[in-house]
Amino acid sequence: MILRLPFLSMHLPARAITVSLCLVSLLVVALLSALHLGAYPLNISQIGQAVLGHAEGIQRMIVLDHRLPRILTAIGAGAAFGLAGSMFQTMLRNPLASPDVIGFSAGASCGALLAMILTGGFVLFGALIGGVVTALVVIGLAWKDGLHPYRLILVGIGASLTLSAGADLLMTKLDALTAAEMAKWLVGSLNARNWADVQLIWVGLAVLLPLSLWLQFPLTRLAMADDIANGLGVALSSMRLAITATAVALVALAVSVAGPLPFVAFVSGPISRRLVRQGKPALLQAAIVGALVTLLADMAARSVPLVHLPTGVFTAIIGAPVLMWLLLVQFKKGTL
Amino acid sequence: MTAHTTSVPSEAPNTDARGMWLGLSVLGLIVLSVFALRFGLRPISWGSIWSALTAFEPLNPDQIVLREIRAPRLVGAVLAGASLGMAGALMQGMTRNPLADPGFLGVNAGASMGVVLCVLVLGITDPAAFVWVALGGAFIASLLVFLLGGGNQANPARLILAGAAVSALFLALSRSLLLVSQQTLDVYRFWVLGGFDGIDFGTITALLPFFAVGIVLSLLASFVLNALMLGTDTARSLGVRVGLAQILIGLAIVILCGATVSMAGPIAFVGLIVPHIARWIAGADMRWMLVFSASIGAALMVAADLLGRLPLFGGNMQAGVMSALIGGPVLIWLVRRNGVRKL
């Protein structure tokens, strides 16, 4: 299928559209069951009334103040992680790349711990500052006549490892109780989200999602060799900088509402690529996969009784089997 | 979507310089080892070190510390550092991915899972038993990775994805089991910190055959690895039996890492950093690369273990953390100074 508009014409492959529609319907089903899930029993019509604003009292409170904000935050944060991870993997031409590669997560952990030690609070603020400063320093150190993927990866590994060792070191300076609390935060949790979080992540996505989808055009060319991309008219270094900045902004947003949820950024790209099978990055689908993985992980965390498990424990338990299954299917079909 | 499939023919560093560097790194390792014997909570005089070797007095406390604590610790650090360095070099060479660390074959995650299940289900809390459980877990996990990665027709990119997926799943499963059982957490917490604290010569002797086999296998593998790094198709046309070679390399990595992780816990960083540092000295030739990775890995590990004992870092910081703290900045400095040499 080919889309032709006065300002834009693009190829819309049927498989990509089918996959997106399937993923979106899965997401909707997951969203509805997430609204249904919980200690307080609500049937579908009660939930519907509450969402539309017709319910009163406890029903309204549970749906609108507790479940819905948490679900929408999970979807938004997951989408942001999925987008950012997929962009990094394509740009750096490395399936193992994720925002961790440029040290964002390690920097954020260090920042959060430092803030806790120095001020006894401001964890989120410290994390964001730590993450962004680390990303800037890594880009600065890796910049030498432009931004080369391989150098960025190496500098990123160095910074990331040093900072996570630093975080381990800082962790030993805390007392046991604070350490346990910080450990939970560092795994990533979606407990007790409110509408301010929802607003933050969705307003951010409203700006950054279109920007990312537009960046998909140069990104597809950057995935080829440098010479080819250059020959196709991509300004390599400035495009890489733009893509890195967008991805870092996405991760910063997601971390600020959900903490550094592990694995979502890594797994969304490979899953969506294998589903879409068009041989180029599928950013939109990666975003939906990220949202789906995060929402399902959060539902799993919520359904464990008695203990409050952080969502981050479950992202890999949900995401990894899907990737393993896709690898197995591919193996049988002999593709890749 | 494979990482850098283009391999840049690097200007071959001349052999004399490499020999000199090798001599220097071995000398550095020896000096560090002597320091590691001398310094610690209880400083031991040079004379005692000498007499512990030549005229052992069983009742001299200095000599007991030296023989029972410092010496096994030193040997453990050297073995672990050398093994992780070599395994990292093999892993990055085989997958042609600079982000691959030997843990990606599922070894660390499998070992952790083995220990967690052992404590949780069987109620075993004796660290000495963990050696074999960890080794078993490591082998099972890496077998799973290998099967998912495509068996003997493995494609490096797929192998890596499979490894990352299996590792993440196993680690997440063990972590969630730990959140449920406080008792298991208490035991696991100390195992996972790793390091060379409670190590004795009994454990080292038991694992020595594994280290020996692993090192011999890697040295054998280094000959085919040079061809393999040109890409699987080129290697095949050069007469390399790619499937067999990959199994051989995978086995070497699993044996080396499995033995290390069961001796000293999951030490992640050394295998990732050391090959990059070694590559600047050794160039692209895998035979030199492996030797350098072993000597640099061992030196880094001994230095990390030594530094971790300084009061500045709480007197007992794990060697894994310390090695990242030292190795990371060295890596960045090398990248800045020498520019990029692709895999």
Side-chain angles (χ1 to χ4, degrees), chain A residues 51-248:
Chain A
V51 171
L52 295 172
H54 299 317
E56 288 303 323
I58 190 151
Q59 286 177 19
R60 181 189 165 86
M61 193 185 81
I62 284 177
V63 173
L64 287 188
D65 294 347
H66 287 281
R67 292 188 191 162
L68 199 56
R70 183 171 181 157
I71 293 167
L72 291 179
T73 309
I75 293 178
F81 276 126
L83 266 180
S86 192
M87 286 166 86
F88 269 116
Q89 285 161 359
T90 316
M91 182 183 86
L92 299 177
R93 296 176 206 140
N94 194 319
L96 287 180
S98 73
D100 299 8
V101 155
I102 75 166
F104 190 92
S105 306
S109 307
C110 258
L113 285 165
L114 265 184
M116 196 66 193
I117 290 170
L118 295 179
T119 66
F122 302 107
V123 171
L124 177 58
F125 194 63
L128 285 180
I129 300 269
V132 171
V133 167
T134 309
L136 287 179
V137 168
V138 167
I139 293 170
L141 282 176
W143 189 283
K144 206 175 185 183
D145 337 306
L147 203 56
H148 296 287
Y150 192 76
R151 192 185 294 134
L152 187 61
I153 286 179
L154 286 186
V155 173
I157 294 177
S160 201
L161 291 185
T162 312
L163 284 171
S164 48
D168 285 348
L169 210 62
L170 289 175
M171 205 66 165
T172 60
K173 308 275 181 227
L174 292 169
D175 61 286
L177 209 65
T178 326
E181 190 188 320
M182 286 305 293
K184 230 169 198 179
W185 191 86
L186 292 178
V187 174
S189 168
L190 283 159
N191 255 342
R193 296 299 102 161
N194 56 37
W195 284 102
D197 297 310
V198 177
Q199 218 169 15
L200 178 63
I201 184 81
W202 282 95
V203 169
L205 270 183
V207 178
L208 292 173
L209 182 66
L211 183 61
S212 320
L213 293 181
W214 177 72
L215 283 172
Q216 182 160 357
F217 296 107
L219 196 57
T220 310
R221 290 172 201 152
L222 274 181
M224 304 168 195
D226 277 5
D227 297 344
I228 300 176
N230 217 348
L232 286 169
V234 181
L236 295 176
S237 288
S238 42
M239 261 315 156
R240 282 188 187 127
L241 202 58
I243 291 164
T244 310
T246 313
V248 168

Side-chain angles (χ1 to χ4, degrees), chain B residues 96 224-242 245:
Chain B
R96 273 171 286 138
V224 285
L225 204 56
N226 273 339
L228 215 54
M229 282 185 70
L230 300 171
T232 41
D233 292 340
T234 317
R236 200 167 278 128
S237 65
L238 283 172
V240 175
R241 292 166 70 182
V242 172

Side-chain angles (χ1 to χ4, degrees), chain A residues 263 313-322 324, chain B residues 109 113 144 148 162-176:
Chain A
F263 206 63
V313 172
F314 288 94
T315 45
I317 297 182
I318 301 286
V322 180
M324 285 156 77
Chain B
M113 188 78 188
L144 187 61
L148 272 176
V166 170
S167 294
L169 182 63
F170 273 34
L171 284 180
L173 282 176
S174 2
R175 200 184 289 156
S176 53

